[in-house]
Amino acid sequence: MATLAERLAAIETKIQDAARQANRLRNEITLVVVSKNHPAQLVVNLVDLGQRDFGENRDQEAAPKAAEVAIERPGLANWHFVGQLQTNKVKSVLNYASTVHSLDRESLLREISKVASNRGIEVEVFIQLNLTDDPERGGIAPENLLAFAEAAAASPGVKPIGVMAVASLDGQEERDFGLVAEASQQLQTVVPSARFVSAGMSGDFELAISYGATHLRIGTAITGSRPV
Ligand SMILES: *Cc1c(COP(=O)(O)O)cnc(C)c1O
């Protein structure tokens, strides 16, 4: 069983190799370690190994964890919220997260804009795409992306920085990452600065890099299997 440091280093090597193969620079790719289901101490250990960006998907778990890490290692962790976000949790999430990867509907856009402008802050958001035909899965359908992006760009306190997707579970990652890359190009025609792509998890990040992912959300490959 490898140590945390060894797992982090192994993933780093794979990211570098995949970037080189895709003729991309390592420093245009951000590794977000998804620390859900693990205690604050794991985040502290990763901070001490030089890792700075962390992702969480539930506010109830993330808020106390971020507070604890802020005491142990002040100012060193950047928090990304990557999970489905209820509007009544936005106030809490924006206390620690500077980036939301999961902007997936208009009511959430309105709430983030309201809270951010009240506080005089700007929140970076990825627009989450729904790559399936199933509206229940959540996310913005690619055909609605441009209208939604314009609304986001016009919302005070909100800065759209790119698109986000979770590859669907049907094993068609290449098709999915291709759609994400296309959506990213479209988005940049209306918001030229929104060039980032949040895609790729433990099982598919190398492929995601070949399709232009700039933000990898990697959990178990680094953190190990999750303590219950
Ligand atoms: C848990 C999670 C991840 C990380 O998944 P792994 O397979 O553990 O790498 C990435 N993105 C989101 C939205 C998640 O909830």
Side-chain angles (χ1 to χ4, degrees):
M1 176 78 179
T3 65
L4 182 64
E6 287 166 347
R7 293 194 299 268
L8 180 66
I11 295 298
E12 176 57 36
T13 300
K14 288 184 177 177
I15 294 171
Q16 287 176 14
D17 289 349
R20 192 177 309 112
Q21 280 200 13
N23 274 311
R24 300 183 56 202
L25 297 173
R26 168 64 183 94
N27 69 9
E28 67 188 42
I29 298 168
T30 300
L31 167 60
V32 178
V33 175
V34 179
S35 48
K36 69 186 182 200
N37 303 319
H38 287 274
Q41 186 59 48
L42 176 115
V43 176
V44 169
N45 294 343
L46 284 164
V47 166
D48 291 345
L49 292 166
Q51 177 62 29
R52 291 293 178 265
D53 290 279
F54 297 92
E56 287 283 335
N57 71 338
R58 288 193 327 124
D59 178 61
Q60 297 91 314
E61 178 182 342
K65 195 183 297 184
E68 202 177 325
V69 173
I71 291 168
E72 297 287 327
R73 296 294 183 273
L76 291 182
N78 308 318
W79 292 97
H80 300 245
F81 197 85
V82 304
Q84 241 229 329
L85 178 50
Q86 294 168 261
T87 50
N88 65 359
K89 295 289 195 286
V90 168
K91 286 196 182 89
S92 172
V93 165
L94 296 187
N95 289 336
Y96 54 88
S98 53
T99 308
V100 173
H101 289 236
S102 43
L103 174 58
D104 60 356
R105 61 197 192 280
E106 282 185 24
S107 59
L108 182 59
L109 172 60
R110 283 194 299 271
E111 180 66 10
I112 292 175
S113 178
K114 191 177 95 187
V115 174
S117 37
N118 280 340
R119 294 183 187 178
I121 59 173
E122 190 170 62
V123 180
E124 296 184 336
V125 298
F126 288 90
I127 298 172
Q128 182 170 357
L129 297 166
N130 181 355
L131 300 177
T132 72
D133 296 328
D134 179 3
E136 298 292 304
R137 289 274 315 249
I140 303 299
E143 62 268 27
N144 300 329
L145 174 63
L146 294 191
F148 189 81
E150 282 172 350
S155 299
V158 175
K159 184 181 184 199
I161 62 167
V163 288
M164 177 273 207
V166 181
S168 45
L169 301 171
D170 57 7
Q172 304 219 53
E173 291 92 350
E174 300 234 19
R175 179 207 59 194
D176 289 348
F177 290 142
L179 290 171
V180 174
E182 240 172 73
S184 172
Q185 292 303 316
Q186 285 181 5
L187 173 60
Q188 292 175 66
T189 65
V190 295
V191 188
S193 61
R195 64 182 189 282
F196 296 113
V197 177
S198 171
M201 319 201 321
S202 289
D204 57 17
F205 68 90
E206 289 156 296
L207 186 65
I209 288 171
S210 76
Y211 278 89
T214 63
H215 289 66
L216 313 174
R217 307 180 311 270
I218 301 183
T220 46
I222 291 170
T223 62
S225 55
R226 293 158 190 156
V228 198

